[in-house]
Amino acid sequence: SMATFVLVHGGWQGGWSWRLLAPLLRAAGHEVFVPTLTGLGERSHLAGMAINLDTHIADVANTILWEDLQDVILVGHSYGGMVVTGVADRLAERIGRLVYLDAVVPQDGSTLFTLRPEYLEAFMDAAGTGAGLMVMPRAASAFDTRPEFWDWLNARRTPHPLACFAQKIALTGAHRNVASRLYIYAQGGICDGMYDAYRGDPAARVVMVADTGHGVMIDQPEEVARILLEGLGQKAP
């Protein structure tokens, strides 16, 4: 039967980040939404607005509400883990599965900086060159493994509103009502070890992807599709 995927990109990126993965899920017969968060990607012309984490949670929650989506497989990459947790907290009854793809997993009151304090100084430096409101993107060569994608990534990455990384997420705990969770991490990457706490959870599954950088859906789209479809009891096309 057809599943509904909502794929939420990470920092500096956009719906375009899923260009390699989305077609594989669609080819398997599923509906796939790839909302771009306000101020990024093809919505970068809106970057002058006051944009924070709540804005991005609303972007995705409103996609689900306006499209009237149910039993959603909600996938967040990287910073997108903040967003999907916030969305699941608001719309738990519409989310069938929550997927963290090399993504941060916040608690109530977390910010990206409390979860990844090692980024604070670099992001603040990058914000300083962006008039303080925006964090400039880093070169793809700094953290993406496959050189053949560097030009593609560098051409599309846009500055990211700083408040998204600094705002504390407000969670009621309702996100815990989502019945199924999947944590996918890049071997040797920034989330390696971060999901160990969930290995004993019967409602969760923790899966490693080898030979990939942080952009797992770009470096290993076939493998990510295989893992997502396996969760539906389906083989990849």
Side-chain angles (χ1 to χ4, degrees), residues 51 113 123-124 127 132-135 160-167:
I51 298 164
F113 291 138
F123 282 22
M124 285 304 183
L133 300 174
M134 305 293 288
V135 182
H160 194 111
L162 176 63
C164 299
F165 301 137
Q167 186 186 20

Side-chain angles (χ1 to χ4, degrees), residues 32-232:
V32 183
F33 293 84
V34 291
T36 291
L37 303 173
T38 300
L40 296 153
E42 78 277 11
R43 306 182 71 202
S44 54
H45 60 287
L46 300 175
M49 294 172 48
I51 298 164
N52 59 18
L53 176 58
D54 283 341
T55 315
H56 287 168
I57 291 169
D59 285 332
V60 178
N62 285 348
T63 298
I64 292 169
L65 290 170
W66 263 253
E67 297 285 354
D68 197 20
L69 306 181
Q70 305 286 345
D71 202 25
V72 170
I73 300 169
L74 182 59
V75 182
H77 174 245
S78 192
Y79 157 77
M82 301 289 294
V83 179
V84 298
T85 307
V87 172
D89 202 64
R90 291 187 188 187
L91 300 176
E93 70 287 350
R94 288 175 178 263
I95 312 303
R97 183 167 229 205
L98 202 44
V99 183
Y100 293 87
L101 179 63
D102 226 45
V104 291
V105 184
Q107 308 300 321
D108 182 48
S110 296
T111 71
L112 188 82
F113 291 138
T114 62
L115 294 168
R116 306 304 309 226
E118 68 275 23
Y119 291 161
L120 181 60
E121 191 177 355
F123 282 22
M124 285 304 183
D125 285 350
T129 59
L133 300 174
M134 305 293 288
V135 182
M136 306 309 281
R138 285 183 295 177
S141 55
F143 58 98
D144 292 293
T145 48
R146 310 252 165 136
E148 62 265 33
F149 293 123
W150 289 351
D151 287 349
W152 184 67
L153 290 164
N154 287 334
R156 282 163 184 78
R157 282 213 177 102
T158 56
H160 194 111
L162 176 63
C164 299
F165 301 137
Q167 186 186 20
K168 290 180 177 169
I169 194 168
L171 299 172
T172 64
H175 62 95
R176 296 192 193 97
N177 297 331
V178 175
S180 167
R181 279 144 210 281
L182 175 60
Y183 302 88
I184 305 170
Y185 69 96
Q187 181 178 24
I190 61 172
C191 293
D192 198 336
M194 200 194 282
Y195 301 151
D196 289 350
Y198 309 110
R199 289 185 189 278
D201 180 351
R205 194 163 157 246
V206 179
V207 184
M208 183 195 83
V209 178
D211 187 32
T212 180
H214 180 48
V216 190
M217 66 287 173
I218 292 167
D219 285 352
Q220 293 283 8
E222 289 85 2
E223 180 63 6
V224 174
R226 188 190 68 73
I227 294 164
L228 292 173
L229 295 172
E230 194 177 67
L232 298 168

